[in-house]
Amino acid sequence: MLAALLLGVFQGPNGPEETPFQRDPRPFIALFGIGLMLAAFGHLIKSKLLVGTGLLMMFAGILLVPLFLYLGQGS
């Protein structure tokens, strides 16, 4: 499921000509939400691995993936 989500983030509906600002924000929000749920579940069962993975997913959905997409577009 995560692979399909990331594929949807990196391949926009309009192909490679699409700019990052024309992308649909729903995959980024979904990645953040799944990471939030995973981190919360990790806190409940006291698993540092799940908390860290969830936080990484949240950080990726809000900052890393959009930043890489923007920088990858070039001029």
Side-chain angles (χ1 to χ4, degrees):
M1 181 169 104
L2 182 59
L5 180 65
L6 288 176
L7 184 63
V9 168
F10 284 106
Q11 300 219 351
N14 297 330
E17 304 85 35
E18 184 179 25
T19 66
F21 298 107
Q22 295 170 335
R23 292 195 185 271
D24 185 18
R26 286 180 283 186
F28 302 112
I29 296 169
L31 185 60
F32 177 81
I34 292 169
L36 180 66
M37 289 187 297
L38 190 63
F41 182 69
H43 275 292
L44 287 175
I45 64 169
K46 299 186 186 324
S47 171
K48 291 181 181 180
L49 179 65
L50 285 180
V51 172
T53 303
L55 289 174
L56 184 62
M57 287 174 66
M58 291 168 56
F59 186 66
I62 295 300
L63 182 66
L64 291 180
V65 174
L67 181 65
F68 288 146
L69 288 173
Y70 176 74
L71 294 176
Q73 283 297 109
S75 300

